[in-house]
Amino acid sequence: MQWYFVAALLTILTSSQGILTKLSQNKDSTYDYDTATVPFLGEIFKLLVSCFFLWREKLASPTPLKITKEWRSMQLFLVPSVIYLFHNNITFLTLKYLSPSTYQIMGNLKIITTGILFRIFLKRKLTKLQWIAILLLTIGTTTSQVKGCGDSMCESLLSGNITGYILAIVSAFLSAFGGVYTEYLLKKNNDSLYWQNIQLYTCGVFINMGWLIVGDFQSGFEKGFWWQRLFHGYTLTAWLVVANLASSGLLVSWLMKYADNIVKVYATSMAMLLTAVLSQFLFDVKATIQLLLGIIICMISLHLYFTPVHMLVDLPEIETPVRREEDP
């Protein structure tokens, strides 16, 4: 399976997530189901799918699969779950100090931070042209999210609390570090991807279960225990939200194993633009010149990053000197 096919599929699924979530709401923008249970069910879904594919891979493989069962190696898969748990909590904390639109724009810093951590921890060298492309991607996604002054955006964009901006930067680094660390885990040995996923998602199940228990204590068990409302209120659309979230996670792990974080960043960034475009037709959202400019800039960035250099510029031909035969 080619990475660009997986990246395109991830773009479609990621863009569908927000739309499906919106469609699963009631008319008053509330939910009949407990949204806190969605990540937990998503982890269960990914774990079951990974178990099935590992079983099928074992049956199809003529030789024993490489599966590392050392505790020292297995416990490392707990780290990404903890990182993303902190990241999710910081997200909610950041929104106390920044408006949602400002937070969304600040969130584009994860594109730059991913490139930086990608270079530092994975020792992957990017060309100057690729750095320019990453910078353009950040500018393009930010431009697409900026509203006009008529929407009172110009005055409020930089009027947030300094604490909010610091938390947004920390959130960007945590998001990037979680992705880079996961890529390191998946590529550090030749273990089966499905076995690695089982370790990753098992940790995710327990971390999310712990978070649901914490939520019960914080609410004083007002809605009962978390397992009592696990499937309550789930409609077909709500289950599609879970399936879409889980499928996106499985595709991300494939890209981490066989491509890299930058490909994932481009896929999710393009998904954001695709969501904005589809929203024009599905939810009667007005298109803006900023969205059009953002799409154009991101397309240029995509072209610069993935197109081979010799196809971007005409390199001078090097003439090979003709060797003269010596006179006898």
Side-chain angles (χ1 to χ4, degrees):
M1 193 185 302
Q2 298 294 335
W3 66 263
Y4 45 81
F5 172 77
V6 177
L9 186 56
L10 177 61
T11 298
I12 295 172
L13 291 182
T14 304
S15 65
S16 303
Q17 189 64 24
I19 295 172
L20 287 171
T21 303
K22 182 70 176 177
L23 293 174
S24 70
Q25 292 178 345
N26 297 318
K27 292 182 179 180
D28 57 352
S29 298
T30 59
Y31 300 92
D32 290 330
Y33 61 95
D34 186 352
T35 55
T37 61
V38 172
F40 174 76
L41 291 173
E43 293 297 310
I44 292 287
F45 183 94
K46 289 186 286 186
L47 180 59
L48 293 176
V49 170
S50 298
C51 288
F52 170 76
F53 278 106
L54 179 64
W55 170 75
R56 200 177 74 165
E57 189 178 33
K58 277 187 172 182
L59 293 180
S61 178
T63 58
L65 297 177
K66 188 176 185 306
I67 295 178
T68 303
K69 296 182 179 179
E70 297 177 2
W71 171 245
R72 181 178 298 180
S73 176
M74 294 172 65
Q75 65 183 352
L76 296 177
F77 285 87
L78 185 63
V79 177
S81 298
V82 175
I83 291 173
Y84 287 123
L85 177 64
F86 278 109
H87 172 260
N88 292 336
N89 280 281
I90 287 178
T91 296
F92 288 110
L93 188 60
T94 305
L95 287 170
K96 291 183 178 180
Y97 299 98
L98 298 178
S99 66
S101 55
T102 303
Y103 171 76
Q104 191 176 30
I105 291 173
M106 290 294 294
N108 292 321
L109 285 174
K110 68 177 178 288
I111 299 173
I112 298 292
T113 53
T114 297
I116 294 172
L117 297 180
F118 187 73
R119 175 69 181 91
I120 295 174
F121 290 103
L122 298 180
K123 309 299 181 184
R124 297 286 297 274
K125 187 176 181 180
L126 300 175
T127 65
K128 292 180 179 179
L129 200 60
Q130 287 176 323
W131 277 114
I132 292 173
I134 290 175
L135 182 61
L136 282 175
L137 181 64
T138 307
I139 295 172
T141 52
T142 302
T143 301
S144 69
Q145 294 164 349
V146 173
K147 299 178 183 177
C149 292
D151 297 315
S152 68
M153 184 65 183
C154 297
E155 295 181 1
S156 62
L157 181 58
L158 298 176
S159 60
N161 191 297
I162 185 64
T163 304
Y165 290 107
I166 294 173
L167 289 173
I169 293 172
V170 173
S171 176
F173 269 98
L174 282 176
S175 176
F177 183 65
V180 170
Y181 185 84
T182 302
E183 181 178 344
Y184 162 75
L185 281 181
L186 297 178
K187 289 181 175 176
K188 73 183 183 72
N189 56 39
N190 293 322
D191 279 8
S192 166
L193 171 62
Y194 305 119
W195 167 243
Q196 291 175 319
N197 279 346
I198 288 173
Q199 298 172 81
L200 192 63
Y201 301 141
T202 299
C203 294
V205 166
F206 283 105
I207 290 293
N208 279 277
M209 185 189 300
W211 184 242
L212 288 172
I213 294 172
V214 170
D216 285 344
F217 278 99
Q218 288 178 340
S219 64
F221 296 92
E222 182 181 356
K223 298 180 180 179
F225 292 98
W226 63 271
W227 61 80
Q228 295 174 323
R229 59 182 187 278
L230 188 58
F231 304 113
H232 177 73
Y234 270 83
T235 61
L236 175 60
T237 309
W239 280 114
L240 286 176
V241 171
V242 174
N244 193 79
L245 178 66
S247 301
S248 299
L250 291 168
L251 292 178
V252 167
S253 69
W254 193 96
L255 286 176
M256 295 288 193
K257 181 78 169 181
Y258 301 111
D260 56 50
N261 261 278
I262 305 298
V263 174
K264 186 207 76 170
V265 165
Y266 268 94
T268 53
S269 297
M270 295 302 164
M272 181 186 63
L273 297 176
L274 180 58
T275 302
V277 172
L278 292 176
S279 296
Q280 318 296 318
F281 305 98
L282 296 175
F283 305 115
D284 196 26
V285 178
K286 293 182 179 180
T288 63
I289 187 64
Q290 293 93 327
L291 175 60
L292 179 59
L293 288 174
I295 292 174
I296 293 173
I297 295 172
C298 288
M299 290 296 110
I300 294 173
S301 169
L302 186 69
H303 181 63
L304 286 178
Y305 190 91
F306 292 104
T307 304
V309 177
H310 71 272
M311 295 179 65
L312 292 172
V313 294
D314 293 328
L315 298 176
E317 296 182 2
I318 302 176
E319 296 183 1
T320 54
V322 179
R323 186 176 179 182
R324 295 182 178 179
E325 296 183 1
E326 296 183 358
D327 295 332

